[in-house]
Amino acid sequence: MGELDKKWFRNVWLCLLFVSVMLNCIQRLVDAAWAHSAGIEMLDKVLFWITLSLTVIIFIWHCVGYWRTSKRLFWRMLRRWCGGLTIGVVCAVILVLLVHYAKGDDTIIDNKERALILSIFAAGGLMWGVARYKYNHWRKDE
């Protein structure tokens, strides 16, 4: 577990994430032909999938580290992450609604987006509830 203490893995992940976000911003803001070429779009997709996989690996790595340290610490951290996820989704939904109202669009959110938001809320809430129960009743499970 000491590999991440050197922070090289996180630094590489942060650099790739930064490059991916900047490339995505360039594609959205620049109308030049080079920004929308097939090579740049492929690079954007490759960086997205690499950073997504590294994010999942880092998350699982930290969860295993917390579990090995203490089961109660793992459930507390999972509860905090799920609470943060829920708050982040609420803020994003509010921001999207405010932008739609500011633009004057009649369409708020379609059924596909509603289902996605509901599934994220359901998954985050379920994980938060299980983590809260396990954190509060950690002696009963052993």
Side-chain angles (χ1 to χ4, degrees), residues 34-141:
W34 67 268
H36 300 287
S37 67
I40 296 293
E41 288 183 10
M42 179 61 76
L43 179 64
D44 184 41
K45 288 178 185 176
V46 167
L47 284 174
F48 169 75
W49 285 108
I50 288 173
T51 55
L52 180 67
S53 62
L54 286 177
T55 302
V56 170
I57 289 170
I58 288 174
F59 177 76
I60 292 171
W61 191 278
H62 282 286
C63 285
V64 168
Y66 289 135
W67 185 265
R68 292 171 109 190
T69 302
S70 168
K71 292 179 184 178
R72 190 165 190 216
L73 175 65
F74 168 76
W75 291 114
R76 183 177 72 197
M77 296 306 291
L78 189 64
R79 184 185 68 185
R80 290 177 66 195
W81 287 334
C82 291
L85 174 71
T86 305
I87 290 171
V89 170
V90 167
C91 291
V93 168
I94 290 171
L95 181 64
V96 166
L97 290 176
L98 288 175
V99 167
H100 277 290
Y101 283 133
K103 284 183 173 181
D105 292 339
D106 291 335
T107 59
I108 305 291
I109 297 175
D110 63 353
N111 289 336
K112 186 177 179 182
E113 291 171 341
R114 284 184 188 162
L116 178 66
I117 291 169
L118 180 64
S119 64
I120 291 173
F121 271 129
L126 179 65
M127 287 181 6
W128 181 83
V130 169
R132 182 173 181 201
Y133 176 80
K134 290 288 208 175
Y135 175 71
N136 290 334
H137 301 92
W138 64 284
R139 294 206 187 265
K140 292 181 183 177
D141 294 335

Side-chain angles (χ1 to χ4, degrees), residues 23-44:
L23 192 60
N24 197 349
C25 288
I26 288 171
Q27 283 185 327
R28 288 179 183 263
L29 299 175
V30 175
D31 289 335
W34 67 268
H36 300 287
S37 67
I40 296 293
E41 288 183 10
M42 179 61 76
L43 179 64
D44 184 41

